[in-house]
Amino acid sequence: MTKEKIKELISQLTLQEKIDMIHGSELFATKGVERLGIPPFVTSDGPRGVRKDFEKDKWSEIGLSYDYVSYLPCNSALAATWNRELAYAAGKILGKETRGRGKDMILAPGVNIMRTPLCGRSFEYMGEDPYLVSELVVPLVHGIEENDVSSCVKHFALNNQEERRMDVDVEVSERALREIYLPGFEAAVKRGKAKGIMGAYNQLRGTHCCHNHYLLEDILRKEWGFEGIVVSDWGGVHDTQEALMNGMDMEMSVTDNFDNYYMANPLLEMIESGAVDKKTAIAEIDKKVRHILYVMNELHMLDGERYTGSYNDYADKAALRQAARESVVLLKNNKNILPLNKKAIKKLLVVGENSNRQHAPGGGSAEIKALYEITPLMGFTMFVGGNTEVVYKPGYYNEDVGNIWANTETDQNGQADSLNQDKAEHKDTASSEAKAKRQREMNENYLKEALEAAKDADAVIYVGGLTHDYDTEGQDRKDMRLPYEQDRLITELLKVRPDTVVVIQAGSPVDMSAWIEDADSLVFSWYAGMEGGIALAEVLFGDVNPSGRLPETFPVNEKDCPAVVLGEYPGGDKVCYGEDIFVGYRYYDTYEVKTAFPFGYGLSYTDFVMTGLRAEVLEDTAQSKSVKISFDVSNIGSRAGATVSQIYVSDKCPKVKKAAKELRAFEKIYLEPGETREVTLILEKDAFSYFSEETHRFCVDNSSYMILLAKNADEIVDVTEIELQADS
Ligand code: BGC
């Protein structure tokens, strides 16, 4: 359908019909206009797969068996793969299943930057670095949208904490906004051609993001040329006039009073009463409808043949397993404890409640009704086979359901209450004290049992970490400590069995300082999707060589985090991002703060060397810069494996304050033992630019730039230098 035809269609719509198209008339859908062949627009969460179906106007699940789906690795897991192809493959599956389930838009991916490790939704995002996020979100969106469905990149923008997320007002410099917080969204829109974007709950500089003219009109539409639909976060609209005028296309919420949504009857009344100029209002409404029809047309919802999609295809499980494998990050492996040799293990002890827990049903709107989820305990048992006895001891007592939104009494999802921050807060003090007491008592026995069993096991694997009572929408963690007295358990276990393999399964960093020195082997595993448990087994037993890299710095604890030291977190009604551009490694590096594990870190069972770094300036004009980087990577160990070569750029004589270095390119390379490969990468103007507050644009200064070839943010293996002229 041409633009002209869309215009013609709009001219045939009544005002009421248009208004029906721009707000929810169900919890996840808007109304269509049957007489003109315009279907309803149906959305669904979320980032880890297509969410179960709810009743149209209630948060009670339909409860039939048809909506069990593939459960994908969470975004922080995907980011830990540092693998663009896997991001594309995951997107393809997500898009196919979205269409297969009859939806038009998937409310994913999440690309907010991890400003603080405590943010409850870190597991839904891709870490702390805008370049890594941008490189992964583009293929992810391409994969999704190949299936005649729209993505909905969220939450635009600065939704970096759950604490007071509905209203918190973010104060951030223009430079940090442009360099740190917007690039992921910009890449999704400009390179990924995303057709949907979701406004965030919070405010930016005094206006809610869902009707923030600067974000939605000036930046998104005018600067980036976005043609798709801006959807509100559920309950994110607070003002009819602002939503009308400032670029919000589709208002969604969690309540069932659909006709009373800001962009429903109140909008109609505003026009009819003359409170707003009718012509202006209708022109704005037409724009919104045009965006919706544009997307519907692109998805073949108005004419042409539309892809049908499907879900739970067995062929897709291989890609999901591969993503899970590549997300596992090996953090320590002294004395080569790993990989374990299954033939030598007659009795395997698995300690830790997380090994036996399914995480798919938790986390808030990212919850998944998974077709299956292979837990670590199941994965280990499947993998070692019948000659090994696998003994499980929970080690710590955890009575949490793993989903703070689950209301077991009414069987209703707690999302209806999610606009009311208090209800999402941790349970009241009296019940949490009682719970802690119960936990302490139970833990005594659980600890004893685990220690006893550890004595005569041939190998001990501990799987602990967090659950979705901690990594969750609607709530930040209070600190980075492990819950359920795990520090004591791990410490004691390591005394009895120093060779215990410690696996932490979580969606965000945890404080490991109580026992990290004592642990010889340490593995970080995320909520890695339905194949997560078996993928972990393959890594621990050596069938798969780990190649995950941290997409975020692991600080020693939350007190070291730049948002706390230089900025404000959690702040009050306002939160000032005083750390400016010094987020994640940009801070730890520049201010020389010791971390537990640096950004980009991860070990392998083989050894790689990177040598011969060369840089050649191919182009250096005011408009364009192009620098060719080459180097060799060799696998000098005895196993095949993959490494991630990371290129950081550092300005030697910066004219403004800059981070010590910034990630500007990376490549994941698979090598057989003894194999060497030459890698060539091109750095363009972006790699040398910063956002100037003075000229309000990205610019390059005349300077010497160091090109750093690195294994991670702390381990530079080679350096070379180039000169570039200023771009103006
Ligand atoms: C979340 C969104 C989600 C929406 C719909 C909101 O609470 O912030 O990420 O897509 O609900 O469930």
Side-chain angles (χ1 to χ4, degrees):
M1 191 178 277
T2 58
K3 277 194 174 157
E4 290 314 306
K5 283 227 165 115
I6 289 182
K7 225 167 150 187
E8 201 186 303
L9 201 51
I10 297 175
S11 71
Q12 295 172 48
L13 289 165
T14 65
L15 180 57
Q16 182 64 55
E17 284 169 338
K18 290 177 194 171
I19 287 185
D20 284 345
M21 287 176 66
I22 63 170
H23 70 87
S25 60
E26 297 175 17
L27 293 173
F28 283 98
T30 58
K31 265 193 201 145
V33 184
E34 217 181 330
R35 68 179 185 93
L36 295 174
I38 302 174
F41 193 72
V42 185
T43 69
S44 173
D45 285 301
R48 298 195 292 185
V50 189
R51 196 179 184 187
K52 65 194 172 192
D53 279 341
F54 291 96
E55 308 245 4
K56 290 181 175 17
D57 56 357
K58 267 194 242 65
W59 290 97
S60 353
E61 60 173 293
I62 303 282
L64 297 177
S65 59
Y66 70 88
D67 52 1
Y68 285 95
V69 292
S70 295
Y71 159 37
L72 277 71
C74 66
N75 274 346
S76 54
L78 208 52
T81 69
W82 290 59
N83 185 329
R84 297 170 179 93
E85 280 95 48
L86 283 176
Y88 171 70
K92 240 176 123 166
I93 297 168
L94 184 55
K96 178 164 82 171
E97 301 218 347
T98 303
R99 190 75 281 278
R101 286 273 309 280
K103 318 290 182 193
D104 306 312
M105 171 183 270
I106 187 80
L107 306 172
V111 295
N112 294 100
I113 289 290
M114 199 189 88
R115 176 177 180 251
T116 145
L118 300 183
C119 174
R121 290 186 95 167
S122 294
F123 74 99
E124 288 191 59
Y125 304 141
M126 297 182 184
E128 71 187 23
D129 182 68
Y131 177 75
L132 178 62
V133 173
S134 305
E135 286 301 292
L136 296 177
V137 75
V138 172
L140 187 53
V141 167
H142 284 158
I144 293 173
E145 297 205 345
E146 266 175 22
N147 301 281
D148 283 354
V149 292
S150 170
S151 59
C152 188
V153 187
K154 64 193 192 182
H155 306 87
F156 189 60
L158 299 140
N159 185 181
N160 309 106
Q161 62 185 60
E162 291 300 284
E163 183 90 17
R164 283 191 310 284
R165 67 171 171 163
M166 300 306 301
D167 285 302
V168 68
D169 184 12
V170 175
E171 277 302 323
V172 62
S173 75
E174 193 61 23
R175 182 173 173 203
L177 179 69
R178 301 290 184 149
E179 288 186 23
I180 307 291
Y181 296 101
L182 293 188
F185 292 101
E186 184 174 2
V189 169
K190 291 201 332 210
R191 290 199 278 140
K193 303 276 176 255
K195 294 183 189 69
I197 203 158
M198 184 187 290
Y201 279 137
N202 51 283
Q203 308 185 53
L204 166 65
R205 300 174 188 152
T207 310
H208 276 101
C209 294
C210 282
H211 22 94
N212 191 305
H213 196 275
Y214 186 53
L215 281 176
L216 302 183
E217 290 288 3
D218 299 342
I219 296 180
L220 182 63
R221 295 276 174 206
K222 291 203 189 84
E223 285 186 33
W224 299 349
F226 180 66
E227 292 185 274
I229 308 175
V230 179
V231 182
S232 76
D233 201 344
W234 269 231
V237 171
H238 302 266
D239 186 286
T240 301
Q241 164 102 16
E242 285 188 9
L244 172 68
M245 300 305 298
N246 295 350
M248 171 48 59
D249 295 326
M250 190 182 276
E251 182 195 2
M252 303 301 289
S253 191
V254 298
T255 53
D256 62 2
N257 56 339
F258 305 110
D259 291 340
N260 295 332
Y261 283 12
Y262 291 91
M263 285 167 66
N265 286 346
L267 175 56
L268 200 59
E269 281 154 22
M270 196 178 238
I271 297 171
E272 278 164 2
S273 70
V276 58
D277 174 56
K278 191 166 179 182
K279 229 170 125 193
T280 315
I282 291 183
E284 287 299 322
I285 292 172
D286 282 358
K287 257 204 266 173
K288 301 175 196 299
V289 173
R290 196 181 70 229
H291 299 147
I292 294 168
L293 289 175
Y294 162 78
V295 171
M296 284 186 165
N297 187 43
E298 291 286 305
L299 307 184
H300 300 112
M301 292 171 71
L302 301 177
D303 62 9
E305 198 177 318
R306 192 169 187 203
Y307 177 60
T308 56
S310 57
Y311 57 108
N312 293 324
D313 292 349
Y314 281 99
D316 290 335
K317 304 301 182 279
L320 295 180
R321 182 164 325 175
Q322 190 58 19
R325 287 167 173 158
E326 293 199 25
S327 73
V328 177
V329 186
L330 178 62
L331 292 174
K332 276 185 95 172
N333 195 19
N334 299 346
K335 303 178 190 153
N336 290 333
I337 288 182
L338 289 170
L340 299 170
N341 174 5
K342 79 169 167 183
K343 291 206 185 99
I345 301 172
K346 292 282 160 274
K347 187 171 177 182
L348 171 68
L349 173 65
V350 182
V351 181
E353 205 261 355
N354 252 2
S355 67
N356 191 36
R357 175 175 282 262
Q358 296 193 332
H359 295 278
S365 58
E367 65 182 351
I368 287 300
K369 192 165 156 186
L371 180 64
Y372 61 83
E373 175 178 352
I374 302 176
T375 62
L377 180 62
M378 188 177 180
F380 302 155
T381 316
M382 281 159 66
F383 187 89
V384 294
N387 294 343
T388 304
E389 182 195 356
V390 179
V391 178
Y392 166 67
K393 297 286 174 196
Y396 57 88
Y397 175 68
N398 173 11
E399 66 184 32
D400 292 337
V401 289
N403 181 359
I404 62 161
W405 277 0
N407 190 334
T408 36
E409 276 148 41
T410 62
D411 221 19
Q412 285 248 359
N413 184 288
Q415 196 155 359
D417 295 331
S418 64
L419 301 186
N420 178 349
Q421 197 89 95
D422 297 341
K423 294 202 179 151
E425 285 285 310
H426 256 318
K427 340 282 181 258
D428 63 84
T429 333
S431 71
S432 53
E433 270 167 19
K435 189 173 121 185
K437 185 164 174 271
R438 243 182 347 263
Q439 200 168 289
R440 276 195 302 275
E441 286 162 7
M442 296 292 284
N443 277 351
E444 286 306 319
N445 284 338
Y446 280 23
L447 174 71
K448 268 191 216 135
E449 283 175 22
L451 298 182
E452 195 50 45
K455 286 183 191 150
D456 71 337
D458 298 312
V460 183
I461 305 177
Y462 177 80
V463 185
L466 300 176
T467 68
H468 285 306
D469 266 59
Y470 293 85
D471 278 318
T472 182
E473 178 176 345
Q475 180 185 285
D476 287 349
R477 279 183 293 157
K478 303 281 172 256
D479 54 50
M480 274 172 58
R481 269 179 312 171
L482 286 169
Y484 320 117
E485 297 191 297
Q486 289 179 76
D487 281 344
R488 179 168 73 129
L489 169 64
I490 302 173
T491 308
E492 294 302 318
L493 200 54
L494 286 168
K495 279 187 198 152
V496 178
R497 290 297 297 253
D499 60 344
T500 300
V501 174
V502 181
V503 179
I504 298 296
Q505 189 182 22
S508 42
V510 299
D511 180 347
M512 309 179 193
S513 44
W515 42 264
I516 187 125
E517 293 302 327
D518 305 326
D520 279 325
S521 64
L522 175 61
V523 171
F524 201 85
S525 142
W526 317 80
Y527 307 114
M530 62 205 305
E531 295 279 326
I534 184 70
L536 179 64
E538 290 173 330
V539 169
L540 299 189
F541 289 91
D543 270 25
V544 168
N545 194 349
S547 64
R549 299 288 182 269
L550 295 180
E552 59 225 13
T553 311
F554 276 29
V556 175
N557 66 45
E558 68 283 351
K559 294 187 196 80
D560 288 345
C561 157
V564 172
V565 181
L566 301 177
E568 289 173 0
Y569 172 78
D573 292 342
K574 262 190 193 252
V575 57
C576 172
Y577 287 18
E579 72 282 14
D580 204 52
I581 57 159
F582 296 97
V583 174
Y585 68 87
R586 285 170 170 75
Y587 165 73
Y588 299 107
D589 260 17
T590 315
Y591 289 75
E592 297 180 353
V593 177
K594 192 177 168 310
T595 63
F597 294 101
F599 173 76
Y601 188 80
L603 302 171
S604 165
Y605 297 150
T606 188
D607 290 311
F608 297 96
V609 287
M610 298 190 274
T611 51
L613 176 65
R614 288 119 27 225
E616 187 189 342
V617 179
L618 301 179
E619 200 180 352
D620 184 15
T621 64
Q623 296 72 33
S624 166
K625 316 263 171 218
S626 174
V627 180
K628 184 174 152 195
I629 311 288
S630 324
F631 53 91
D632 297 320
V633 188
S634 310
N635 179 351
I636 55 162
S638 54
R639 278 172 186 265
T643 189
V644 180
S645 302
Q646 303 168 29
I647 297 286
Y648 295 81
V649 172
S650 171
D651 185 346
K652 267 186 99 177
C653 326
K655 297 195 176 46
V656 296
K657 201 162 182 205
K658 286 189 180 172
K661 62 177 180 291
E662 293 177 286
L663 181 75
R664 298 305 199 182
F666 67 84
E667 194 67 20
K668 190 162 195 177
I669 305 132
Y670 297 81
L671 294 172
E672 293 298 322
E675 191 185 349
T676 295
R677 179 122 33 100
E678 185 186 5
V679 178
T680 301
L681 302 167
I682 301 286
L683 297 182
E684 294 184 341
K685 198 169 158 185
D686 290 357
F688 306 95
S689 342
Y690 67 96
F691 187 84
S692 159
E693 296 270 4
E694 268 169 40
T695 59
H696 202 83
R697 65 175 189 84
F698 276 92
C699 61
V700 180
D701 286 339
N702 191 354
S703 193
S704 302
Y705 294 91
M706 294 202 291
I707 312 288
L708 315 169
L709 174 61
K711 287 191 166 176
N712 58 65
D714 274 4
E715 227 176 313
I716 313 296
V717 296
D718 211 346
V719 183
T720 186
E721 220 176 291
I722 55 153
E723 306 275 331
L724 289 179
Q725 315 169 24
D727 64 346
S728 58

